[in-house]
Amino acid sequence: MNLLQYTSKEMFSSTELIRKSKMVFDKLSDEEIEKAVILRDGKPSFMLLDFDRYESIIEEYEKLKKENKKLKEKKKTTELRTEQNTSSEPTVLKQPKEDAISSDELENALAQIEQLDISLDKKNESIKKQEALKDFWE
């Protein structure tokens, strides 16, 4: 059965349904037709089904919905297991080796740092002087 496909004997206009509703219902209950497609302005608008058929469709839908939910849960658990397997491997943290620095090297490094700071101060002063000239000429 395909509810999306219908034949001309299953199509009824809304006017025809009003005038011949008993005939349409009898065809459905006698299983002459599987469904009745009701047209409004020539376009499919509603569908009538036998209630037993409707219930079987809903039961099938609920069963498929549960199966889909179980599959999703199973997929999640397998993903979690693979993540746990990869993350459970012990990680070895390598600590960097500390190199011993002599006191002479430390003093030389500090002296070089002090020279850098001085040169930065001189650059800041020259920038300030240039800004002062800009103000004068503007």
Side-chain angles (χ1 to χ4, degrees):
M1 179 189 111
N2 190 351
L3 294 175
L4 297 177
Q5 295 177 348
Y6 40 88
T7 62
S8 60
K9 69 178 183 175
E10 295 175 326
M11 294 189 300
F12 302 95
S13 68
S14 56
T15 306
E16 190 176 7
L17 178 65
I18 291 170
R19 292 184 184 158
K20 302 179 183 179
S21 60
K22 183 178 178 348
M23 184 245 341
V24 173
F25 296 142
D26 287 342
K27 284 185 176 186
L28 284 169
S29 62
D30 295 340
E31 296 181 4
E32 285 181 42
I33 57 174
E34 204 169 32
K35 60 199 165 289
V37 178
I38 310 304
L39 306 173
R40 292 188 82 183
D41 299 324
K43 297 178 183 175
S45 186
F46 301 98
M47 184 179 292
L48 297 175
L49 292 172
D50 182 55
F51 192 75
D52 292 334
R53 182 66 186 134
Y54 170 77
E55 283 181 327
S56 68
I57 290 171
I58 294 300
E59 286 173 6
E60 185 179 350
Y61 168 75
E62 291 295 327
K63 186 170 74 171
L64 291 171
K65 191 175 170 183
K66 286 179 185 177
E67 288 176 12
N68 190 26
K69 187 177 180 181
K70 286 179 184 178
L71 286 173
K72 285 183 180 179
E73 288 174 0
K74 188 176 181 180
K75 185 178 179 182
K76 282 184 182 180
T77 55
T78 55
E79 286 176 357
L80 286 174
R81 286 181 188 158
T82 56
E83 285 178 14
Q84 288 174 351
N85 289 342
T86 57
S87 64
S88 65
E89 295 174 0
T91 55
V92 177
L93 297 176
K94 296 182 180 178
Q95 295 182 359
K97 295 180 181 178
E98 294 182 23
D99 293 332
I101 299 176
S102 66
S103 60
D104 292 335
E105 290 175 334
L106 180 62
E107 288 178 19
N108 287 336
L110 290 173
Q112 289 176 355
I113 290 172
E114 287 177 12
Q115 289 176 354
L116 288 175
D117 288 340
I118 293 171
S119 63
L120 287 176
D121 290 339
K122 289 181 181 177
K123 286 181 183 177
N124 288 337
E125 289 176 10
S126 64
I127 291 172
K128 287 179 185 177
K129 287 180 184 177
Q130 289 176 355
E131 288 176 3
L133 288 175
K134 284 182 186 176
D135 291 339
F136 177 78
W137 290 106
E138 290 178 350

